[in-house]
Amino acid sequence: MESFILGTGGMMPLPNRNLTSMLLRREGELFLFDCGEATQVSLRQLNLKWKKISVILISHTHADHITGLPGILMLTAQVERDEPLIIIGPPKVKEYIETSRKVLDMYINYPIEIRELEDPGKPQEVYRGDGYSIRSFPLRHSKVCVGYAFEEDVRPGVFFPEKAVEAGVPRGPLWGKLQNGVKVDLEDGSSITPEQVMGEARPGRKVCYVTDTTWRDSIPGEVTGSDLLVCEAMFAEDLADSAKEKKHLTARQAGQLAAKAGDIRRMGLIHYSPRYTNRELKILRDECREHFPGAFLCRDRMVIPLPHREEDED
Ligand SMILES: [Zn+2]
Ligand SMILES: [Zn+2]
């Protein structure tokens, strides 16, 4: 699984900074989080197969997070695709897409399924796929806005063939049963449980996407345990008043949020105000690191590998 940062800017795209968007790739499936103007340019630069996008998740209907959608929908019509494209987001997402389709006379040759969140103020599962689920949880912004948590299911522990042999389970279909968590009965009348021949269950990976928001006490609890937390850090601390008024996070607050959440393996900052040059962003990083030392700056087209915890060397 990898995360691709398609853009890192807030408000408006800059010549060297696209608007905030992230793409997650897992076992050949793609998940797109937000889609501002020119998101498709980064997709092309990273040579990603946009045809494989299963779900698009929209945080809120501010222009910098949604105006790239019509382009992505048209781009997708240029390739053969039978599976529906699922778009999830807060109210008005449907109206925005349907109006754009109508006014632009969009040619769409595949099914689009729009799922608006009826109650975005409530944390909820918004999508379930093979081996993973996606949750939304409320943020606090000047428009209804949600964060997303992509979570893999718990995986069964490692199977130890030598233990199975020792316990008298012959190689064959019974091994498969044990691996699937089913107890097996042997011919001698004894039974063997999966726990006897397998290691402990292993947690799946979790990736959280949090933007745009001001501080909200419920956010740390939602993002705890993330293998990757991508979190807004729009302003430095000298503009804390402005951040509060516009309902955005400062980099320091982002660090506090991650510190409070705990068990965060990687944290990348995103959604930078256009007032900062790319060199000045280290101010944001350093302010965040006062609270969460491992934080890094997301950069446009950065690729972040997300190995399972047991595979991670560092
Ligand atoms: Zn924004
Ligand atoms: Zn916004």
Side-chain angles (χ1 to χ4, degrees):
M1 187 154 84
E2 301 101 9
S3 159
F4 299 84
I5 303 298
L6 302 180
T8 56
M11 282 175 76
M12 63 189 81
L14 300 176
N16 55 2
R17 194 185 297 160
N18 261 331
L19 286 171
T20 291
S21 174
M22 177 180 87
L23 190 113
L24 198 62
R25 180 165 69 188
R26 180 186 181 271
E27 294 182 9
E29 263 189 299
L30 302 180
F31 307 88
L32 180 66
F33 296 78
D34 278 339
C35 190
E37 194 180 334
T39 289
Q40 58 172 304
V41 177
S42 278
L43 273 178
R44 278 183 186 272
Q45 285 171 315
L46 282 162
N47 206 15
L48 290 160
K49 305 266 180 284
W50 61 83
K51 180 184 168 179
K52 301 280 187 189
I53 296 178
S54 307
V55 189
I56 299 179
L57 300 126
I58 299 294
S59 62
H60 64 304
T61 54
H62 270 155
D64 55 332
H65 297 258
I66 196 170
T67 48
L69 259 184
I72 289 282
L73 300 185
M74 288 190 272
L75 185 71
T76 305
Q78 290 178 19
V79 288
E80 289 288 314
R81 176 188 179 116
D82 301 320
E83 316 80 54
L85 174 67
I86 294 162
I87 303 173
I88 298 171
K92 289 202 175 169
V93 162
K94 194 173 175 127
E95 186 187 343
Y96 173 70
I97 294 167
E98 286 178 353
T99 309
S100 314
R101 275 184 78 167
K102 212 163 99 195
V103 175
L104 303 178
D105 291 316
M106 264 191 227
Y107 169 71
I108 301 285
N109 54 355
Y110 57 93
I112 296 180
E113 197 183 311
I114 305 164
R115 299 188 192 169
E116 265 184 13
L117 302 173
E118 275 176 33
D119 186 1
K122 192 181 82 189
Q124 59 198 290
E125 182 175 296
V126 295
Y127 188 78
R128 173 153 276 283
D130 188 12
Y132 63 87
S133 62
I134 307 173
R135 279 167 57 79
S136 75
F137 51 89
L139 301 179
R140 182 172 289 145
H141 191 42
S142 49
K143 253 192 161 176
V144 175
C145 185
V146 295
Y148 290 103
F150 182 101
E151 284 178 89
E152 288 181 315
D153 298 344
V154 173
R155 293 167 301 141
V158 182
F159 178 71
F160 299 111
E162 62 283 2
K163 283 193 181 178
V165 170
E166 208 175 293
V169 188
R171 178 188 286 273
L174 293 182
W175 282 23
K177 274 194 173 178
L178 286 165
Q179 284 166 341
N180 288 324
V182 181
K183 186 181 84 165
V184 300
D185 297 320
L186 300 181
E187 280 175 11
D188 65 2
S190 65
S191 47
I192 306 296
T193 63
E195 292 74 40
Q196 288 175 263
V197 296
M198 289 171 75
E200 266 182 51
R202 296 163 294 173
R205 290 161 290 188
K206 178 173 178 178
V207 177
C208 288
Y209 178 83
V210 174
T211 194
D212 300 357
T213 189
T214 185
W215 183 271
R216 182 173 178 140
D217 285 339
S218 58
I219 302 172
E222 295 290 349
V223 303
T224 186
S226 293
D227 290 83
L228 172 66
L229 166 64
V230 171
C231 185
E232 159 175 9
M234 194 164 186
F235 296 109
E237 206 50 31
D238 60 339
L239 291 173
D241 289 345
S242 182
K244 199 171 172 190
E245 185 195 324
K246 294 173 182 157
K247 298 213 164 49
H248 286 288
L249 284 175
T250 63
R252 175 173 291 170
Q253 286 178 309
Q256 287 168 330
L257 192 150
K260 188 146 189 247
D263 195 24
I264 305 276
R265 293 179 70 211
R266 296 179 190 80
M267 180 204 198
L269 303 180
I270 206 162
H271 200 276
Y272 312 125
S273 161
R275 64 187 301 122
Y276 303 110
T277 64
N278 280 345
R279 296 187 72 182
E280 287 167 339
L281 293 178
K282 62 178 188 300
I283 303 168
L284 302 180
R285 182 197 61 198
D286 292 346
E287 287 185 355
C288 178
R289 282 185 174 175
E290 287 171 24
H291 296 274
F292 191 80
F296 61 88
L297 293 167
C298 284
R299 299 286 190 180
D300 284 41
R301 292 176 295 285
M302 187 183 245
V303 182
I304 306 168
L306 297 163
H308 284 291
R309 294 200 179 205
E310 69 270 16
E311 298 161 356
D312 208 350
E313 306 282 319
D314 45 79

